[in-house]
Amino acid sequence: MATDYAYGNNTAWADTGFVGPCTIESQSSEALIHFGPTLPATYGAGPHHHLNPNEVPFYYSGIEKVFVRSANDNVSGITQTCKIVITND
């Protein structure tokens, strides 16, 4: 099992570099997680999951790429960063 960290901000989706089954935990702030080859066009569009620190880890059993983005896209000019821990199962 390989454990790594991925970082995202509230301005765009970031590729975590992970594909397929993994366990995901938020470590710093609310994070949005998206799976698949097509990214949502806007912050609120498309399927995604919200993860918060101290929640039960999220287990992804699919085969798609994993993307991350920080929450709080409601203040112009402010960038927020999130950090997630991904364990490749």
Side-chain angles (χ1 to χ4, degrees), residues 45-73:
H48 60 265
H49 301 277
H50 291 252
L51 298 176
N52 289 293
N54 302 318
E55 288 184 339
V56 174
F58 180 86
Y59 178 70
Y60 174 61
S61 60
I63 58 170
E64 303 286 347
K65 290 177 88 171
V66 180
F67 293 88
V68 63
R69 184 173 184 163
S70 181
N72 299 326
D73 189 36

